[in-house]
Protein backbone atom coordinates (compact mmCIF):
# COMPACT_ATOMS: atom_id res chain seq x y z
CA UNK A 1 0.00 0.00 0.00
CA UNK A 2 1.32 3.43 -0.85
CA UNK A 3 0.63 6.73 0.90
CA UNK A 4 -2.16 7.78 -1.45
CA UNK A 5 -4.01 4.49 -1.01
CA UNK A 6 -3.58 4.72 2.76
CA UNK A 7 -4.98 8.26 2.89
CA UNK A 8 -7.90 7.25 0.63
CA UNK A 9 -8.66 4.29 2.89
CA UNK A 10 -8.60 6.50 6.00
CA UNK A 11 -10.89 9.01 4.32
CA UNK A 12 -13.32 6.30 3.18
CA UNK A 13 -13.44 4.83 6.70
CA UNK A 14 -13.67 8.23 8.36
CA UNK A 15 -10.45 7.63 10.32
CA UNK A 16 -7.61 10.02 10.98
CA UNK A 17 -4.28 8.84 9.53
CA UNK A 18 -1.92 7.47 12.19
CA UNK A 19 1.65 8.68 11.69
CA UNK A 20 3.21 5.29 12.51
CA UNK A 21 0.98 3.50 9.98
CA UNK A 22 1.65 5.79 7.01
CA UNK A 23 3.63 3.75 4.43
CA UNK A 24 7.10 4.95 3.54
CA UNK A 25 7.81 5.96 -0.07
CA UNK A 26 11.25 5.92 -1.63
CA UNK A 27 11.04 9.71 -1.91
CA UNK A 28 10.96 9.93 1.89
CA UNK A 29 14.58 8.75 2.07
CA UNK A 30 17.63 10.97 1.53
CA UNK A 31 19.19 10.81 -1.94
CA UNK A 32 22.15 8.75 -0.70
CA UNK A 33 19.81 6.02 0.58
CA UNK A 34 17.81 6.10 -2.67
CA UNK A 35 21.04 5.59 -4.62
CA UNK A 36 22.05 2.71 -2.35
CA UNK A 37 18.68 1.01 -2.95
CA UNK A 38 18.98 1.55 -6.70
CA UNK A 39 22.44 0.00 -6.82
CA UNK A 40 21.43 -2.82 -4.45
CA UNK A 41 18.59 -3.91 -6.73
CA UNK A 42 20.95 -3.86 -9.73
CA UNK A 43 23.35 -6.33 -8.10
CA UNK A 44 22.98 -10.01 -8.96
CA UNK A 45 21.68 -12.46 -6.33
CA UNK A 46 24.00 -15.35 -5.44
CA UNK A 47 22.54 -18.74 -4.51
CA UNK A 48 24.24 -21.93 -3.35
CA UNK A 49 23.52 -24.26 -6.25
CA UNK A 50 23.82 -27.41 -4.12
CA UNK A 51 21.90 -26.40 -1.02
CA UNK A 52 19.63 -23.71 -2.40
CA UNK A 53 20.71 -21.16 0.22
CA UNK A 54 20.78 -17.44 -0.50
CA UNK A 55 24.37 -16.19 -0.28
CA UNK A 56 23.72 -12.48 -0.75
CA UNK A 57 24.47 -10.06 -3.54
CA UNK A 58 27.40 -10.39 -5.92
CA UNK A 59 29.43 -7.25 -5.21
CA UNK A 60 31.90 -7.75 -8.07
CA UNK A 61 30.30 -4.98 -10.19
CA UNK A 62 29.75 -2.57 -7.30
CA UNK A 63 32.40 -0.02 -8.30
CA UNK A 64 31.14 0.02 -11.87
CA UNK A 65 27.68 0.91 -10.52
CA UNK A 66 29.26 3.59 -8.31
CA UNK A 67 30.82 5.08 -11.44
CA UNK A 68 27.59 4.73 -13.42
CA UNK A 69 25.63 6.61 -10.75
CA UNK A 70 28.39 9.19 -10.16
CA UNK A 71 28.81 8.28 -6.48
CA UNK A 72 31.65 10.49 -5.26
CA UNK A 73 34.65 8.69 -3.75
CA UNK A 74 34.06 10.04 -0.21
CA UNK A 75 30.43 8.79 -0.33
CA UNK A 76 31.25 5.28 -1.52
CA UNK A 77 32.04 3.90 1.93
CA UNK A 78 28.69 5.12 3.27
CA UNK A 79 26.87 3.67 0.26
CA UNK A 80 28.73 0.38 0.61
CA UNK A 81 27.77 0.20 4.30
CA UNK A 82 24.11 0.80 3.44
CA UNK A 83 24.19 -1.89 0.74
CA UNK A 84 25.82 -4.37 3.11
CA UNK A 85 23.21 -3.57 5.76
CA UNK A 86 20.38 -4.10 3.25
CA UNK A 87 21.91 -7.38 2.14
CA UNK A 88 22.27 -8.62 5.73
CA UNK A 89 18.61 -7.91 6.42
CA UNK A 90 17.47 -9.51 3.16
CA UNK A 91 19.71 -12.54 3.70
CA UNK A 92 18.23 -13.05 7.15
CA UNK A 93 14.65 -12.82 5.86
CA UNK A 94 15.29 -15.16 2.92
CA UNK A 95 17.05 -17.69 5.18
CA UNK A 96 14.17 -17.65 7.67
CA UNK A 97 11.64 -18.21 4.88
CA UNK A 98 13.70 -21.04 3.39
CA UNK A 99 14.11 -22.69 6.79
CA UNK A 100 10.38 -22.47 7.44
CA UNK A 101 9.54 -23.97 4.05
CA UNK A 102 12.00 -26.84 4.54
CA UNK A 103 10.63 -27.93 7.92
CA UNK A 104 8.75 -31.21 7.62
CA UNK A 105 5.05 -31.01 8.23
CA UNK A 106 4.02 -32.38 11.62
CA UNK A 107 0.56 -33.34 10.37
CA UNK A 108 -0.17 -37.03 10.14
CA UNK A 109 -1.96 -38.38 7.09
Amino acid sequence: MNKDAYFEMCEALGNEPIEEEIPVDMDDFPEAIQQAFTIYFMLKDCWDSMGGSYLGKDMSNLFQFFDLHDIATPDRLYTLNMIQHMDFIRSTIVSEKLDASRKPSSKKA
Side-chain angles (χ1 to χ4, degrees), residues 88-100:
F88 174 77
I89 292 170
R90 181 160 183 251
S91 295
T92 302
I93 292 169
V94 169
S95 293
E96 288 171 356
K97 286 182 179 181
L98 287 172
D99 289 345

Side-chain angles (χ1 to χ4, degrees), residues 17 25 41 55 71 85 89 99 103:
D25 286 335
F41 291 124
L55 301 174
I71 308 288
H85 187 69
I89 292 170
D99 289 345
K103 287 185 181 177

Side-chain angles (χ1 to χ4, degrees), residues 14 30 37 52 63 79 92:
F37 270 110
F63 289 98
T79 306
T92 302

Side-chain angles (χ1 to χ4, degrees), residues 17-49:
I18 300 170
E19 187 68 32
E20 295 83 27
E21 293 181 359
I22 299 173
V24 178
D25 286 335
M26 190 59 74
D27 294 337
D28 295 334
F29 292 107
E31 184 178 347
I33 300 298
Q34 292 180 36
Q35 287 178 325
F37 270 110
T38 299
I39 292 171
Y40 180 77
F41 291 124
M42 295 173 77
L43 296 170
K44 179 183 172 188
D45 289 330
C46 293
W47 293 86
D48 175 11
S49 59

Side-chain angles (χ1 to χ4, degrees), residues 45-102:
D45 289 330
C46 293
W47 293 86
D48 175 11
S49 59
M50 296 297 288
S53 298
Y54 178 69
L55 301 174
K57 291 290 190 174
D58 177 1
M59 303 282 187
S60 61
N61 293 328
L62 186 62
F63 289 98
Q64 292 168 324
F65 290 132
F66 283 167
D67 292 339
L68 180 67
H69 289 277
D70 293 324
I71 308 288
T73 302
D75 299 330
R76 290 180 179 198
L77 180 59
Y78 177 76
T79 306
L80 173 62
N81 288 335
M82 291 298 101
I83 289 171
Q84 288 176 322
H85 187 69
M86 287 179 231
D87 201 39
F88 174 77
I89 292 170
R90 181 160 183 251
S91 295
T92 302
I93 292 169
V94 169
S95 293
E96 288 171 356
K97 286 182 179 181
L98 287 172
D99 289 345
S101 70
R102 291 178 181 156

